[in-house]
Amino acid sequence: MKHILIGKSYWGRGGAEVAAMWLVQALCQEHQVDIITRGGWHLDDLNHCSGTNVKAASLGKIIIPKHEPGFGMPGGALWHGLYLRQRRHIGRQYDLRITASGAWDWGLPAIHFLSDVVWNGSLKKQFGCLEVQPFANPLRWTYVKVGEWMAGTAGRDLARQDILVANSQWTADISAKFFTHPPVVIYPAVPGDVQSTPWSEQEDSFLCLGRISPEKRIERVIAILDQVRILGHQIRLHLVGSSDDSEYLRQMQKLCEERQDWVVFHGPLYGSDKDALFARCRYGISACDREAFGISTAEMVKAGIVPFVPQAGAQSEIVQEDALIYGDIEDAALKIDALLKSEARQLELHSAMLRRGDEFNSDQFCNSVRALVKGELERLAIAKA
């Protein structure tokens, strides 16, 4: 049994946490696993939203740096810098280090699991993620730069020396130019064993599931379904998710209120409440065009929901049906219109999604992760001998 340290800055309740919890579950059965984090670790809640069954007794230490004042406090970049420095220091005591979300310099051999395609500065610029500018917010910019200085570096060449694990082929292709060796692709474990309700008993409703934040482009989802209703279909939309962006949340709530006769905003849902909604809705929809995988879309597919997804990003790898992959608002509306007019095609795609969902199972993910970690531990043992 080897001693492994898993690092994740903060444990929220989104797709990245689902993937990270299955990573923990895969490894804590065969190794001694400790976790270092800035906060958010509440095991029962994380198991509940991730569909995992990690036992506290099977885990080692949960390490939260003593200097940490709490995630989200002022000067967060400073605390994050201290966290990364301490994580590197503590990581020396372990046989292997794993970044659960992103790629960070441990100073020693590590495996890095990507949950987002914008994991470095170059990719943030490529996908239009705004960086803090000195003229726009001088104080925050100073915090960021001081935080980077405090984090320091061990000078390790991650691109040549470490293993990068992408959660989709799209993420791997985008990230490959930064690494000497192609990233390993392991699709995440997708929670959910919702029993598919007979198609005839389901509603002509759409489900939009996930974090309520600008990159998810909820306003585009609503614009698409506005067009579908103009085409004569009396569909409904169920919007499910939590938000850390209060301004964007207010904007989306306003759009929902203006359409309260057919749009329902539920907020976050878990467990039986979420399962009940899954069982009611025939269709799903996403408008995020930089989704690194799409846990929510994969959850819908496993439940037999037929989701429409954009061409850009990784979600097309999940559905693999041209009829469900759209280019723009008009294209999406026309494809939805065509499907709503054909009950035979609906049933065909419903069955196709159930078959596709079988491929995103937890056993396959856990076995792939264990094999990868075993191979790296054996390589390190040989190199050390």
Side-chain angles (χ1 to χ4, degrees):
M1 179 178 288
K2 297 296 184 178
H3 204 179
I4 295 174
L5 181 62
I6 295 178
K8 190 176 188 307
S9 298
Y10 185 77
W11 296 80
R13 299 297 181 269
E17 285 68 39
V18 172
M21 282 299 293
W22 279 102
L23 173 64
V24 172
Q25 178 151 316
L27 295 177
C28 71
Q29 297 175 14
E30 296 186 353
H31 303 284
Q32 182 176 340
V33 175
D34 293 352
I35 293 170
I36 183 167
T37 181
R38 291 184 59 199
W41 180 265
H42 303 289
L43 184 56
D44 289 343
D45 288 347
L46 288 166
N47 275 326
H48 184 57
C49 73
S50 302
T52 49
N53 188 32
V54 177
K55 304 293 186 184
S58 66
L59 284 173
K61 295 180 291 185
I62 307 301
I63 305 166
I64 299 177
K66 293 179 180 178
H67 60 258
E68 181 60 57
F71 199 87
M73 294 294 287
L78 302 181
W79 307 122
H80 187 61
L82 284 172
Y83 162 74
L84 292 178
R85 179 178 288 272
Q86 184 166 355
R87 190 169 85 169
R88 189 183 304 120
H89 174 73
I90 293 173
R92 298 171 189 165
Q93 306 167 25
Y94 291 80
D95 297 302
L96 182 63
R97 293 135 294 276
I98 295 178
T99 307
S101 182
W104 299 98
D105 177 15
W106 289 88
L108 288 167
I111 299 176
H112 310 277
F113 285 78
L114 300 184
S115 61
D116 194 333
V117 74
V118 290
W119 57 270
N120 68 14
S122 296
L123 289 169
K124 287 177 181 177
K125 290 179 181 178
Q126 178 179 335
F127 287 93
C129 299
L130 297 178
E131 295 283 350
V132 177
Q133 300 296 327
F135 56 83
N137 192 330
L139 181 58
R140 190 178 172 202
W141 181 85
T142 301
Y143 277 143
V144 169
K145 293 304 174 183
V146 174
E148 290 174 354
W149 173 80
M150 293 173 74
T153 177
R156 185 172 178 79
D157 186 355
L158 303 183
R160 186 174 62 86
Q161 297 175 287
D162 285 354
I163 297 174
L164 183 78
V165 181
N167 57 359
S168 67
Q169 189 60 54
W170 181 77
T171 301
D173 292 343
I174 295 292
S175 303
K177 61 186 175 183
F178 299 100
F179 279 76
T180 303
H181 305 289
V184 177
V185 177
I186 301 178
Y187 285 126
V190 178
D193 292 305
V194 179
Q195 294 298 315
S196 179
T197 304
W199 192 255
S200 60
E201 297 177 15
Q202 293 177 281
E203 304 171 359
D204 274 339
S205 292
F206 284 76
L207 176 61
C208 182
L209 174 67
R211 191 172 63 255
I212 311 297
S213 56
E215 74 273 12
K216 300 299 186 180
R217 305 177 78 185
I218 309 298
E219 67 281 2
R220 190 176 178 87
V221 167
I222 292 174
I224 290 169
L225 297 184
D226 274 339
Q227 292 298 312
V228 173
R229 288 180 64 84
I230 288 172
L231 291 171
H233 302 286
Q234 298 303 305
I235 48 90
R236 293 172 62 82
L237 170 64
H238 294 275
L239 181 59
V240 177
S242 58
S243 177
D244 296 325
D245 187 324
S246 57
E247 177 56 32
Y248 186 75
L249 177 62
R250 280 194 292 271
Q251 293 173 16
M252 295 308 101
Q253 286 175 326
K254 184 174 186 296
L255 289 178
C256 292
E257 289 168 1
E258 291 168 353
R259 297 161 176 80
Q260 58 184 311
D261 58 323
W262 65 276
V263 178
V264 181
F265 176 58
H266 296 268
L269 291 179
Y270 303 105
S272 59
D273 291 334
K274 181 178 172 182
D275 291 347
L277 187 58
F278 267 52
R280 288 169 54 193
C281 297
R282 287 183 171 181
Y283 311 105
I285 186 165
S286 169
C288 181
D289 57 3
R290 65 171 180 84
E291 198 73 77
F293 174 68
I295 288 283
S296 297
T297 297
E299 285 185 87
M300 289 191 274
V301 165
K302 286 189 72 172
I305 292 173
V306 178
F308 290 84
V309 301
Q311 288 176 347
Q315 294 178 91
S316 59
E317 292 179 44
I318 298 172
V319 301
Q320 295 188 351
E321 292 282 350
D322 290 341
L324 304 177
I325 302 169
Y326 64 86
D328 55 22
I329 291 174
E330 182 179 4
D331 185 36
L334 291 175
K335 286 185 172 180
I336 293 171
D337 175 55
L339 184 60
L340 292 176
K341 290 176 177 177
S342 174
E343 185 174 352
R345 187 65 171 137
Q346 294 166 23
L347 290 169
E348 182 182 340
L349 289 174
H350 169 62
S351 297
M353 292 303 100
L354 288 172
R355 291 193 300 272
R356 181 69 182 139
D358 289 339
E359 299 186 26
F360 304 113
N361 64 78
S362 57
D363 287 343
Q364 182 170 310
F365 171 80
C366 291
N367 290 337
S368 297
V369 167
R370 290 175 191 137
L372 179 70
V373 168
K374 179 182 179 183
E376 180 64 359
L377 287 169
E378 290 174 350
R379 187 192 70 81
L380 293 174
I382 292 172
K384 188 176 180 181

